[in-house]
Amino acid sequence: MVYKAEYIWIDGTEPTARLRSKTKIVKDSVSHDDLPIWGFDGSSTNQAPGDNSDCVLKPVAVFPDPIRGGDDVLVLCEVLLIDMTPHPTNSRAKAAAIAEKYAADECWFGIEQEYTFFKDGRPLGFPVGGFPAPQGFYYCGVGADEVFGREVVEAHLEACIEAGIEISGINAEVMPGQWEFQVGPLGTVEVGDHLWVARWLLYRIAEEFGISATVDPKPVKGDWNGAGCHTNFSTKAMREGYDAIIAACEALGTRADEHVKAYGADIEHRLTGAHETAPWTEYSYGVSNRGASVRIPWQVAVDKKGYIEDRRPNANMDPYVVCGMITDTICGAAAS
Ligand code: ADP
Ligand code: MN
Ligand code: MN
Ligand code: MN
């Protein structure tokens, strides 16, 4: 007998990479830990020229497939060149090297993925040719006048749990059709693995409803919230004492420009200083402050230990890039 393995990878689309996948039929005698490398046409994914198009898929994380069920699996892959070195678009390999360097710091990440549903060319819940009532009641709302797409969100949550994704919650967001799920806490690389597969499941599940989901950071211009990926972070030292919390906030300030540039395309349109953001040109941190770049949750200020929230990353960020950079900046500063 055979089972189906959905090989999932991150492509080379610029400025924001997209997810791709295809199905491999595998003999039952091959265990899930032993799935073979595979290939694809990199000239169709902006990862290779047409006259030298082969790229390699190397399985790195396997999850039960909640859509197909049975023995079928979702197989997250890294992209390699045919000499088996990481492809230039392979941000996971870079994050893995940083994670290994600072393994002793025991980094944890929790990511809040915001996203927006679209149907018929407009956000779900937006009327034809116009706008819904202004923001105010949609965030964590209830009722058919305030909440749009809950059936998709519930199906996605269930699928994530069945797949073994470390999903930690969901909520309706500030704009109609906008939602959030949280993944973590997990390590620097693992949180990226789980987030990318959770994104794939979101697109795939929404497909069943004839709805698309987007991580566009500013899906509606004007007085509507953008979509972010708040990234919560701690090291063992931060979970044990407040000095390390402050040191982490200070460290992020030393490389603020570099971070913002790596936090997702079009970030300057989201980090305007309005809509619960800090302007992308200025770095700040503060307790409970949702208008700061980095927030220290009030409970953390009370307990004098815990984690910090980097509020800057865009919804379209690459978690391998963001979490790798945060690990490097904060653990690097602590080591020096
Ligand atoms: P917000 O109040 O900003 O909306 P959420 O509840 O949506 O916060 O998300 C908080 C995130 O922080 C979750 O993903 C959770 O897993 C994560 N988190 C909690 N504790 C830690 C920690 N010590 N280190 C890193 N992340 C953490
Ligand atoms: Mn949240
Ligand atoms: Mn949110
Ligand atoms: Mn948040």
Side-chain angles (χ1 to χ4, degrees):
M1 282 296 289
V2 297
Y3 64 93
K4 297 172 207 141
E6 190 73 8
Y7 278 53
I8 299 170
W9 75 97
I10 298 151
D11 77 1
T13 304
E14 288 178 357
T16 301
R18 307 183 76 89
L19 283 161
R20 309 274 180 150
S21 73
K22 57 177 186 163
T23 309
K24 188 172 187 62
I25 305 303
V26 184
K27 295 256 185 303
D28 263 357
S29 54
V30 178
S31 82
H32 292 163
D33 310 326
D34 221 15
L35 283 157
I37 59 166
W38 201 16
F40 68 96
D41 167 17
S43 72
S44 298
T45 63
N46 201 33
Q47 283 165 309
D51 58 359
N52 189 11
S53 65
D54 287 326
C55 290
V56 175
L57 293 174
K58 180 188 156 209
V60 288
V62 180
F63 301 87
D65 184 340
I67 298 164
R68 288 176 170 146
D71 283 338
D72 298 342
V73 283
L74 304 176
V75 185
L76 182 69
C77 297
E78 268 187 12
V79 178
L80 306 181
L81 299 167
I82 50 173
D83 66 1
M84 298 297 145
T85 59
H87 189 278
T89 60
N90 181 343
S91 52
R92 187 183 190 275
K94 296 177 192 114
I98 296 167
E100 197 185 320
K101 182 171 173 192
Y102 296 113
D105 290 329
E106 297 179 29
C107 296
W108 290 2
F109 285 90
I111 298 179
E112 306 167 47
Q113 173 73 65
E114 294 178 341
Y115 62 92
T116 311
F117 287 133
F118 270 77
K119 195 175 166 71
D120 303 325
R122 57 182 189 276
L124 204 61
F126 275 54
V128 184
F131 291 93
Q135 293 182 165
F137 303 104
Y138 306 113
Y139 171 74
C140 297
V142 60
D145 53 340
E146 294 180 1
V147 159
F148 308 91
R150 197 189 293 276
E151 61 284 11
V152 191
V153 173
E154 289 289 326
H156 174 248
L157 176 61
E158 200 55 48
C160 284
I161 292 169
E162 272 183 51
I165 299 292
E166 200 68 43
I167 191 161
S168 52
I170 53 170
N171 60 267
E173 268 302 338
V174 175
M175 188 183 87
Q178 199 180 50
W179 293 83
E180 169 180 316
F181 65 84
Q182 301 103 33
V183 169
L186 286 168
T188 305
V189 176
E190 292 75 17
V191 77
D193 293 347
H194 285 233
L195 184 63
W196 276 114
V197 174
R199 284 175 175 173
W200 187 90
L201 279 169
L202 178 65
Y203 303 138
R204 178 63 190 82
I205 297 273
E207 202 181 299
E208 303 281 313
F209 294 85
I211 289 171
S212 65
T214 177
V215 293
D216 184 334
K218 195 72 186 179
V220 184
K221 307 288 173 256
D223 204 14
W224 300 92
N225 270 42
C229 245
H230 298 165
T231 300
N232 300 274
F233 172 77
S234 64
T235 58
K236 187 162 182 285
M238 293 164 71
R239 294 189 292 274
E240 289 172 354
Y242 207 62
D243 288 350
I245 296 276
I246 298 301
C249 294
E250 290 288 335
L252 286 174
T254 64
R255 290 174 75 185
D257 285 353
E258 231 178 302
H259 277 254
V260 163
K261 287 197 183 87
Y263 279 6
D266 239 9
I267 199 158
E268 59 280 16
H269 289 118
R270 179 176 143 262
L271 298 186
T272 56
H275 305 112
E276 303 175 58
T277 69
W280 66 278
T281 46
E282 284 165 42
Y283 176 80
S284 59
Y285 68 90
V287 175
S288 286
N289 187 356
R290 286 174 199 272
S293 316
V294 172
R295 176 176 67 104
I296 301 172
W298 70 270
Q299 187 73 54
V300 174
V302 171
D303 294 346
K304 295 280 175 253
K305 61 183 180 183
Y307 65 97
I308 60 172
E309 176 191 47
D310 192 338
R311 300 176 57 79
R312 296 169 295 172
N314 262 359
N316 61 351
M317 60 85 141
D318 177 347
Y320 297 133
V321 172
V322 169
C323 298
M325 193 175 263
I326 291 176
T327 301
D328 193 44
T329 298
I330 293 178
C331 299
S336 63

